Amino acid sequence: MTPTDAEHALDQALALVSRAPEAGGAGGHRASVWARARDIAVHAGSGVRARTHQVPLPEALGEVLAEPLDALTDLPSFDTSAMDGWAVAGPGPWTIRAGDGVLAGSGRPEPLADGEAVQIATGARIPADTTAVIRSEHCRESGTQLFAARPVHTGQDIRPRGQECRSGDLLLPAGSLVTPAVLGLAAAAGYDGLTTRPRPRVEILVLGDELLTEGRPHDGLIRDALSPMLGPWLTRLGAEVIGTRRLGDDPAGAEALLKAVTTSAADVVVTTGGTASGPVDHVHPVLRRAGAELLVDGVAVRPGHPMLLARIGEAPGRDTVRHLVGLPGNPLAAVSGLLTLADPLLRALAGRRRRPRCTATVEGDVPGHPHDTRLVPVLLSGEHAVPLRYNGPAMLRGVAAADALAVVPPHGARSGQELEILDLPWASGGCFT
C-alpha cells in the first residue's frame, strides 16, 4: 500500500465515525458543505462597505474601478492617418507638395489643394480637405507626381475623430478589473489617475512551536512551509499583505493572538493551525473572547476540514468589520482553505466578480470520501485533468507541480467524468484569468 493509499484508507475510516456535514457533533460543531462555505465567504465579503481611493494610473493595476470610466474626449480627438503614406485631395495623379511632410505630434498642417499630395506618418493629423490616405506600398512617385497603384476610396486609411468613442461615452462600468489594457485605455482617454477599490489588507499569523525558519527538519521540528507560501499566494489572489508573524502555542502566544485579532489594521487576518480542538489549539477560544461570529466552522472537504471563517465586530477607529480565515496547519490543507474561503472572500471584498465555473474531464478514476468533497491537484492536458500523486494534507509535492485542483464529489469520480476545476493563480494554460 502506498503512502497515499494509506492516508486515503485512514480518511475513509475516520469518516465513518465523524460527524456528517451540516450536522451538529458532540462539540456542537457544524461542518459546512464545500460549495455552501464558498457562498458564505462571498456573502461575507459582499456585505462589507466598500473603501475607495484615487491613485495614479500605475498604482491602480489589479484593483477594481469604483466609478465608471467615461471618455474625457473624443478618441481619436482629431482625424489621423492610420498608415504611413500619402494624404491626397481629389482624383489622381497628384502633385507632391514640397517639404518634409506631416509627422505625428506636429501642429495643424496646411490644407491640401485639389490634386495635391503630401507625405504623412501614422498617427499624424490629417490636413483639411484630404480625400484619402494612400499607403506607401500602394503608390509610386515619378518626379513631382504621385500615382496610385490601385483604386482610391474616399476616407480610406483615415481614422476619423470620435471613431472609437465620443466624449462622455461609457468606456467601462464600475466594478471592472483594472488590467494593463484598461490602464492603456484610461491613459488614451485622458486620465492621470483612477478611483478604485483598494486591495484588501491581509495579515498572516503562523501558529506553532514546532516550526523552523531555516535549515533541515530535526528533533521533532519541521520547517515552516506556510510563511514563504501564503504571502505570495495571497498577493496573487489580489490582497495587500501587510505582514507575516509567527506566534507560539503557549499562553503568551494565545494572548498575542487575541491582541492581533482585535487590533490588526488588516481587513482579513489569516491564521494557520490551531483550528481544531487540541490542547494548544487557541483559535476558537480566542475568537470567543473577541466576540467573533463564526460564519463557517469546519468544511466538509478533504484536505482542510477544520478551516473556519469568522467575522469580528467593528474596531475603534474603523468603519468596517474584520474577517478571520483560519487555515489548518498542514500545508495542502491550508491551500484548500485558501481556495475555499480566502479566495472568494478576498474577491468579494475587492469588488471583483466571482470566478466563472470551469470544468474538465478527469483522466483516470479518483477515489472519493464517503461524504466530503476532495480537492485533488491535477495537471491540465488539453481538455483533460490528470490527477497527481502526493495529495495528502501535509504534502506540497503534488500541488507544486499542478495547474489546478479538481473538485471531487463524495464517493469519487470515474475516468471521463466532468469535474469542476479551480486553477492556481500562477498557472499558465489554466481555465481562468
Side-chain angles (χ1 to χ4, degrees):
M1 180 178 288
T2 67
T4 301
D5 292 337
E7 288 186 0
H8 177 60
L10 178 60
D11 239 3
Q12 295 267 6
L14 290 174
L16 296 177
V17 296
S18 68
R19 55 191 172 272
E22 303 289 359
H29 185 87
R30 293 175 61 84
S32 299
V33 173
W34 180 77
R36 172 63 178 153
R38 287 171 60 81
D39 288 341
I40 292 172
V42 171
H43 182 73
S46 302
V48 175
R49 186 166 64 182
R51 293 184 292 118
T52 64
H53 63 177
Q54 189 164 24
V55 292
L57 286 184
E59 296 178 23
L61 182 64
E63 298 187 350
V64 168
L65 293 178
E67 298 176 351
L69 188 72
D70 295 328
L72 301 180
T73 182
D74 295 346
L75 287 181
S77 55
F78 48 85
D79 293 347
T80 62
S81 177
M83 292 289 170
D84 293 333
W86 296 84
V88 300
W94 302 270
T95 301
I96 297 174
R97 178 193 289 178
D100 295 333
V102 184
L103 301 177
S106 60
R108 185 185 297 274
E110 291 294 320
L112 283 177
D114 192 46
E116 191 174 30
V118 65
Q119 199 164 19
I120 193 167
T122 301
R125 186 190 296 256
I126 294 291
D129 301 323
T130 294
T131 301
V133 169
I134 306 175
R135 303 182 188 192
S136 298
E137 61 269 27
H138 294 165
C139 58
R140 62 180 177 85
E141 299 175 60
S142 179
T144 61
Q145 295 291 105
L146 180 74
F147 296 85
R150 59 180 62 185
V152 176
H153 304 288
T154 300
Q156 74 178 31
D157 287 326
I158 295 174
R159 293 187 63 212
R161 176 174 180 161
Q163 181 185 54
E164 186 169 3
C165 65
R166 290 292 184 181
S167 180
D169 283 354
L170 174 66
L171 301 178
L172 289 171
S176 299
L177 179 66
V178 180
T179 64
V182 172
L183 292 180
L185 176 62
Y191 285 84
D192 299 316
L194 293 171
T195 301
T196 58
R197 292 181 63 165
R199 297 172 181 82
R201 297 165 298 198
V202 174
E203 183 174 16
I204 301 168
L205 305 176
V206 178
L207 312 181
D209 292 328
E210 75 282 12
L211 304 176
L212 295 170
T213 58
E214 60 184 14
R216 300 178 183 179
H218 62 85
D219 299 330
L221 302 177
I222 61 173
R223 277 297 297 270
D224 174 14
L226 294 176
S227 294
M229 178 176 72
L230 292 182
W233 198 310
L234 288 161
T235 298
R236 294 298 291 267
L237 292 180
E240 177 192 352
V241 178
I242 63 174
T244 300
R245 288 190 282 160
R246 294 181 60 210
L247 302 178
D249 286 329
D250 57 3
E255 291 302 315
L257 176 61
L258 176 64
K259 182 177 180 181
V261 164
T262 54
T263 65
S264 176
D267 301 298
V268 179
V269 175
V270 174
T271 64
T272 69
T275 56
S277 303
V280 292
D281 291 331
H282 297 306
V283 174
H284 281 93
V286 162
L287 290 175
R288 285 194 293 271
R289 291 174 63 189
E293 178 187 1
L294 277 172
L295 305 177
V296 174
D297 192 7
V299 179
V301 66
R302 306 292 169 143
H305 186 273
M307 67 180 74
L308 61 84
L309 172 63
R311 177 167 49 217
I312 302 164
E314 297 181 5
R318 291 172 54 93
D319 58 1
T320 59
V321 298
R322 183 187 300 112
H323 288 88
L324 181 140
V325 175
L327 304 177
N330 277 323
L332 188 57
V335 168
S336 175
L338 285 175
L339 296 176
T340 301
L341 297 178
D343 183 21
L345 174 68
L346 291 171
R347 290 181 73 89
L349 287 171
R352 298 180 65 180
R353 293 185 293 272
R354 296 188 70 163
R355 291 185 184 273
R357 189 174 185 272
C358 178
T359 61
T361 301
V362 67
E363 189 173 286
D365 294 347
V366 187
H369 187 276
H371 57 69
D372 289 357
T373 299
R374 287 188 71 210
L375 300 184
V376 177
V378 294
L379 281 176
L380 299 179
S381 176
E383 297 179 354
H384 295 89
V386 182
L388 296 171
R389 297 176 58 197
Y390 307 107
N391 52 34
M395 298 180 180
L396 287 175
R397 185 172 172 181
V399 73
D403 297 314
L405 271 68
V407 181
V408 180
H411 307 296
R414 305 291 292 178
S415 184
Q417 184 173 336
E418 196 172 77
L419 296 179
E420 182 175 356
I421 297 294
L422 306 175
D423 74 327
L424 301 177
W426 54 84
S428 61
C431 294
F432 309 130
T433 56

